[in-house]
Amino acid sequence: MSNNAGTCKIIKFEAVENIDEKLAEFAEDFFEVVTNDYGDDGKEQLVGYMRQETSEADLLAAAKQANIELPPYQSEVISSNDWLCENVIKFAPVETGDFLIYGVHEKSVDTRGKIGVKVYAATAFGSEHQTTKGCLQAISDINRLAQVVPQKVLDVGTGSGILAIAAAKIWSEAQIVAVDIDNESVLVAAQNATDNDVEKQIRVALSDGYQADLVQQNAPYDVILANILARPLIAMVPDMAATLKKGGYAVISGFIENQTDWVLGEHEKYGLHLKKMYREDGWCAALLEKIR
């Protein structure tokens, strides 16, 4: 097909604590569009969108050929004039803190005095998530709290680059390093930076957490942003503390209410002291300050 009209099949895999890397790579290759949906229990659900001419038999055959054991899944069919736009791409502008996040499909947007962040919407699946909203609010608060305008910012697990772009727009002199473990996210974040005219401020790279040379070479940072999940947040605490300036701010998110004491307690051990919490629909974000 040359367009997105007609029917589309959606494959929703069983929600898990961490999506298997091989399954994620297979899904990126096979499906037309892939999303990672997050539930209130902290689990991730891989969702694949197939065009109407692709069948479940094709999916099973491709998985067998790739030696991938598919986890349990549910399928459904949707029909529309443009399923990609109506069911995946199109999302209403999201206003939070000093920012208004909107998709490139919007022909005209009234930012209402907010800082507009334009995102290629097919890759903006996290834009409406509670954790993203909390992080954007935290960036707004840092802008009011910081005695010195941040010059160096690190966004770990940048995804579509929303937080990095927001940081670039609110701190026009700042240089931002944005990294992700997923190569597709790196490409998407770079494109979104260009679409927002902040590509000169943002350098995007593939990195497993803080390991990339680009991350280390530009340390220490005034602000570190990490909207991921509880376990990787805790695993990366030593790296965060080592690359954040004393007096610098960190924004962490991707954990749920009953994980708060666990996550914050581990960060406190490394001198990352809680300044403010953000809660929405069971999800949490936190603004931390490095006090030692």
Side-chain angles (χ1 to χ4, degrees), residues 3 74 79 114 119 128 157-158 190 206 212 220 223 228 245 266 281:
N3 58 49
Q74 295 179 334
S79 179
K114 300 288 185 177
V119 181
E128 294 185 87
T158 191
L206 191 69
V223 175
I228 40 182
K245 287 182 180 178
E266 291 300 315
D281 298 333

Side-chain angles (χ1 to χ4, degrees), residues 157-273:
T158 191
S160 59
I162 291 174
L163 300 184
I165 294 166
K169 288 201 166 189
I170 203 168
W171 301 310
S172 60
E173 300 300 317
Q175 291 297 309
I176 292 96
V177 173
V179 297
D180 201 285
I181 197 171
D182 175 62
N183 189 61
E184 180 66 20
S185 293
V186 170
L187 298 174
V188 166
Q191 182 60 55
N192 283 333
T194 299
D195 290 343
N196 283 271
D197 299 318
V198 292
E199 69 274 13
K200 292 182 179 179
Q201 286 179 257
I202 300 176
R203 285 179 288 176
V204 188
L206 191 69
S207 181
D208 184 357
Y210 296 74
Q211 301 309 308
D213 290 342
L214 180 63
V215 173
Q216 297 300 320
Q217 291 166 0
N218 288 276
Y221 297 91
D222 302 297
V223 175
I224 295 179
L225 312 169
N227 182 13
I228 40 182
L229 289 170
R231 286 181 176 82
L233 278 174
I234 288 173
M236 296 178 190
V237 172
D239 292 327
M240 173 178 279
T243 52
L244 182 64
K245 287 182 180 178
K246 183 179 179 181
Y249 293 98
V251 178
I252 60 173
S253 191
F255 54 98
I256 56 178
E257 192 70 49
N258 64 12
Q259 296 172 324
T260 300
D261 291 344
W262 176 40
V263 172
L264 296 182
E266 291 300 315
H267 285 77
E268 184 72 44
K269 292 177 183 178
Y270 286 84
L272 299 168
H273 179 70

Side-chain angles (χ1 to χ4, degrees), residues 14-93:
E14 183 178 57
V16 293
E17 293 290 341
N18 292 290
I19 294 173
D20 180 77
E21 186 175 340
K22 289 184 178 180
L23 174 63
E25 291 176 356
F26 166 78
E28 290 287 349
D29 290 336
F30 179 82
F31 292 105
E32 184 73 17
V33 177
V34 177
T35 70
N36 283 4
D37 297 342
Y38 297 88
D40 292 342
D41 57 0
K43 291 185 177 181
E44 300 178 71
Q45 184 177 43
L46 186 68
V47 180
Y49 292 76
M50 305 189 300
R51 292 185 183 273
Q52 60 179 337
E53 66 268 26
T54 308
S55 67
E56 286 187 52
D58 295 327
L59 170 63
L60 296 174
K64 183 177 181 180
Q65 183 176 2
N67 198 28
I68 296 290
E69 184 176 347
L70 296 178
Y73 65 83
Q74 295 179 334
S75 64
E76 62 180 276
V77 176
I78 58 174
S79 179
S80 70
N81 292 328
D82 188 339
W83 60 264
L84 184 61
C85 181
E86 293 180 10
N87 296 278
V88 182
I89 293 180
K90 193 171 182 180
F91 66 96

